[in-house]
């Protein structure tokens, strides 16, 4: 952050641009991204691009090749299975734990659901996926375990790499996602714990299918 102006630094802007393009499928797995093209797209020199790529490499999203660029790491079939299974474990645990604290998360979830609806209306896939991720992360955070919340954030980012292309080409999937999230919110407001846990399992099963991971 540029403390003198309060504006994000060139490195932060470049990092945000690159990460968003990877998560929303603009730069799909297997694509080689060059420093020059990123610098031109963001309007910065190559130095902040290198800094941003180093951060993304540390997060496991790219692999750097000196003098060539950065390869966006594709999600392998085994990693997809691992991500989905880990997400299922954390989300089902969180759904059980958050029930007693559900009043604390309702307003935030309602806001995020409206963000999903707005993004769907505008066809903004990246914003839709981010609101979707944030919705579930809020439930996990509401369960009260900071370590699992951090782990969950990383898991969902990898799953976004898996599903963003499908969302981009299938409006019906976004519609179903909105319906599913609305159901979860309504059950938290006025349903039973058993019904909420069952809906969470159903939602995760859909996510598994979208990721192409069979049981």
């Amino acid at each position: 952050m540029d403390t003198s102006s309060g504006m994000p630094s060139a490195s932060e802007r470049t990092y945000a641009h690159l990460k968003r393009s990877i998560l929303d499928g603009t730069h799909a797995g297997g694509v080689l991204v060059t420093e020059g093209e990123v610098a031109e797209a963001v309007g910065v020199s190559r130095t902040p691009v290198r800094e941003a790529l180093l951060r993304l490499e540390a997060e496991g999203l790219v692999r750097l090749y000196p003098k060539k660029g950065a390869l966006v790491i594709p999600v392998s079939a085994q990693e997809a299975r691992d991500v989905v299974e880990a997400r299922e474990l954390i989300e089902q645990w969180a759904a059980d734990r958050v029930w007693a604290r559900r009043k604390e998360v309702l307003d935030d979830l309602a806001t995020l659901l409206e963000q999903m609806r707005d993004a769907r209306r505008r066809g903004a896939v990246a914003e839709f996926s981010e609101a979707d991720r944030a919705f579930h992360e809020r439930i996990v955070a509401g369960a009260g375990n900071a370590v699992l919340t951090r782990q969950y954030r990383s898991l969902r980012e990898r799953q976004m790499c898996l599903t963003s292309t499908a969302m981009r080409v299938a409006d019906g999937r976004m519609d179903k996602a909105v319906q599913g999230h609305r159901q979860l919110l309504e059950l938290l407001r006025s349903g039973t714990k058993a019904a909420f846990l069952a809906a969470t399992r159903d939602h995760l099963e859909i996510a598994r299918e979208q990721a192409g991971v069979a049981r």
Side-chain angles (χ1 to χ4, degrees):
M1 181 74 71
D2 184 341
T3 56
S4 62
S5 66
M7 297 293 291
S9 67
S11 178
E12 287 290 342
R13 287 190 290 111
T14 306
Y15 168 79
H17 168 83
L18 275 171
K19 187 164 187 175
R20 183 171 58 250
S21 68
I22 291 171
L23 296 183
D24 72 13
T26 300
H27 292 317
V31 168
L32 187 70
V33 181
T34 67
E35 292 181 0
E37 69 181 81
V38 176
E40 182 177 354
V42 185
V44 297
S45 68
R46 295 196 178 198
T47 298
V49 175
R50 294 188 192 103
E51 293 170 352
L53 288 173
L54 285 170
R55 288 178 64 182
L56 292 168
E57 183 178 47
E59 293 177 14
L61 293 176
V62 303
R63 183 179 298 115
L64 298 183
Y65 291 92
K67 299 182 180 180
K68 292 184 179 181
L71 180 73
V72 179
I73 299 176
V75 181
S76 68
Q78 184 58 53
E79 184 185 8
R81 178 178 295 279
D82 292 346
V83 166
V84 169
E85 289 179 351
R87 180 185 169 187
E88 288 173 344
L89 288 172
I90 294 175
E91 283 197 38
Q92 290 184 73
W93 169 86
D96 179 70
R97 287 290 295 271
V98 81
W99 184 258
R101 311 177 188 183
R102 58 194 182 281
K103 292 182 180 179
E104 300 173 12
V105 303
L106 290 176
D107 288 347
D108 289 342
L109 295 180
T111 298
L112 290 165
L113 177 59
E114 186 52 43
Q115 289 176 9
M116 289 179 67
R117 287 173 171 149
D118 178 62
R120 169 64 188 93
R121 285 191 292 268
R122 294 182 289 107
V125 176
E127 293 177 33
F128 185 93
S129 297
E130 175 57 27
D132 181 337
R133 181 199 63 77
F135 185 100
H136 292 285
E137 187 178 319
R138 184 65 187 94
I139 292 175
V140 173
N145 187 308
V147 173
L148 285 179
T149 300
R150 287 194 298 270
Q151 183 62 40
Y152 180 78
R153 184 178 299 119
S154 175
L155 289 171
R156 284 309 308 270
E157 287 180 349
R158 282 310 269 166
Q159 186 162 24
M160 285 172 70
C161 293
L162 275 170
T163 61
S164 59
T165 300
M167 287 291 187
R168 186 181 298 279
V169 299
D171 290 344
R173 291 195 175 186
M174 287 195 282
D175 292 333
K176 288 181 180 178
V178 169
Q179 293 168 7
H181 288 79
R182 184 178 66 242
Q183 180 190 30
L184 291 172
L185 179 57
E186 289 174 351
L187 287 171
L188 273 174
R189 278 180 174 151
S190 56
T192 65
K193 181 178 181 180
F196 177 65
L197 295 178
T200 298
R201 288 192 295 271
D202 290 344
H203 197 81
L204 287 165
E205 191 61 34
I206 293 171
R208 174 182 280 271
E209 291 173 2
Q210 289 181 345
V213 177
R215 286 201 178 277

